[in-house]
Amino acid sequence: MSREAELAAAFESARPRLIRVAYAVLGSHAEAEDVVSDCWLRMSVADARDPIKDVDAWATTAVARAALDALRSARVRREVYVGPWLPEPIVEAAPSGQNPADRVTLDDKVSFAVLVVLETLTPAERTAWVLHDLFGMPFADIAAVVGRSPAAVRQLAARARAHVNSGAPRVTVGAAEHTATVTTFLHAAVGGDLSALVEALDPDVILTSDGGGQVSAARKPVCGADRVARFLRGVATKISPNERLQILSVNGEPGLGIFAGEELTAVISLTISDNRIMRIDLIRAPGKLPHLS
């Protein structure tokens, strides 16, 4: 096997993990794929100068550094984004046959709710938390990515961990319970039953809608069970006969999709605690709606 083929094989083996790293840092799967593709070009050039001994380690560091740079640039763009900015969801209509170990890394730890909380961190805090808490990278290696000392990186990760623990659900909901709550919510929304909707929601529920300035969406979060239920009932009444609501996997957890024919027009992520929905994220921005895998 030629050196180029050997390098390409090693990189392709590492690619799924590299995309998970970049996605967790950026909150955009499309941008993550771009970062990883650029990394391959840089790697082939670097290897020609000095053969790379550990492809996975080299590529992880390179991807993390490039994702951090991309996140800093993206933060500027998101400041002028029309309405709230939500991460790009990973959506599946059914299990894809992905390796269970990979699903634990991506789905169970990088839920949509966690991605939303990560948006409140600084780029350096987010990168430190992702690399250390999700992917187990030593602080000394992370220091080379973010340009800080290992001690400073440890503090970044600690601050980020505190934010994530306070902002994300503390109790993991089982798949059966999550699905049952989503199903109850779906029936109440489709049926237009306001009292049933309110009952399915946490009293302090927050609904955030992302249309990207391209489609209709609430410009500010909607708060409180009664206001959110009325907002959702209004959305449900606008669903046309050729549209349907369907349960989907959103970042590994049950959520909802709105389809017009075969086209996915909205994704709804539901964060659940104590059998009630505490957060609803409605993604309608066309550029964030994937073709289902």
Side-chain angles (χ1 to χ4, degrees):
M1 180 184 294
S2 68
R3 175 56 184 170
E4 183 178 356
E6 180 184 353
L7 190 69
F11 186 82
E12 284 306 308
S13 178
R15 182 184 287 272
R17 182 175 184 274
L18 297 175
I19 289 178
R20 291 197 299 271
V21 169
Y23 173 68
V25 172
L26 288 165
S28 167
H29 199 262
E31 291 181 9
E33 290 181 323
D34 289 343
V35 164
V36 173
S37 295
D38 289 343
C39 175
W40 162 247
L41 298 176
R42 294 197 304 276
M43 172 177 276
S44 60
V45 172
D47 186 75
R49 293 195 304 264
D50 184 17
I52 296 170
K53 296 179 180 179
D54 189 335
V55 169
D56 187 74
W58 190 98
T60 299
T61 299
V63 162
R65 187 178 290 123
L68 174 58
D69 290 341
L71 178 60
R72 286 168 173 157
S73 176
R75 284 298 174 94
V76 176
R77 298 194 304 273
R78 291 172 192 176
E79 287 177 359
V80 295
Y81 193 80
V82 177
W85 190 95
L86 290 173
E88 178 187 331
I90 294 179
V91 183
E92 294 174 332
S96 63
Q98 188 178 15
N99 185 301
D102 289 342
R103 295 190 65 83
V104 167
T105 301
L106 174 60
D107 299 336
D108 292 351
K109 292 188 177 180
V110 195
S111 67
F112 199 84
V114 168
L115 284 175
V116 170
V117 176
L118 292 181
E119 288 298 315
T120 65
L121 305 178
T122 68
E125 287 173 340
R126 179 170 183 162
T127 303
W129 184 86
V130 166
L131 295 180
H132 183 265
D133 285 38
L134 290 191
F135 295 96
M137 184 180 286
F139 289 123
D141 294 342
I142 301 172
V145 173
V146 301
R148 309 279 183 92
S149 69
V153 170
R154 186 185 296 273
Q155 291 181 338
L156 288 173
R159 287 201 300 268
R161 192 177 305 117
H163 280 294
V164 172
N165 290 343
S166 64
R170 297 179 182 178
V171 179
T172 302
V173 179
E177 179 186 344
H178 200 129
T179 301
T181 303
V182 171
T183 301
T184 299
F185 170 82
L186 173 60
H187 291 163
V190 172
D193 187 336
L194 186 61
S195 61
L197 267 176
V198 172
E199 181 62 26
L201 302 174
D202 184 270
D204 298 320
V205 62
I206 297 175
L207 182 149
T208 304
S209 180
D210 179 352
Q214 297 173 279
V215 294
S216 176
R219 294 293 183 91
K220 294 182 179 180
V222 181
C223 304
D226 185 68
R227 292 184 63 194
V228 169
R230 293 180 186 279
F231 178 90
L232 290 170
R233 189 172 67 170
V235 171
T237 59
K238 296 177 182 178
I239 295 178
S240 64
N242 73 321
E243 291 183 300
R244 71 182 190 280
L245 276 165
Q246 177 180 325
I247 294 179
L248 300 171
S249 170
V250 182
N251 286 62
E253 297 177 335
L256 296 170
I258 301 178
F259 289 83
E262 296 303 313
E263 180 185 3
L264 182 64
T265 60
V267 169
I268 304 172
S269 171
L270 302 168
T271 302
I272 294 169
S273 180
D274 295 329
N275 294 313
R276 287 191 172 184
I277 296 165
M278 59 182 295
R279 182 177 179 92
I280 301 173
D281 293 297
L282 175 59
I283 303 99
R284 299 198 65 216
K288 296 182 181 180
L289 299 177
H291 296 292
L292 294 186
S293 58

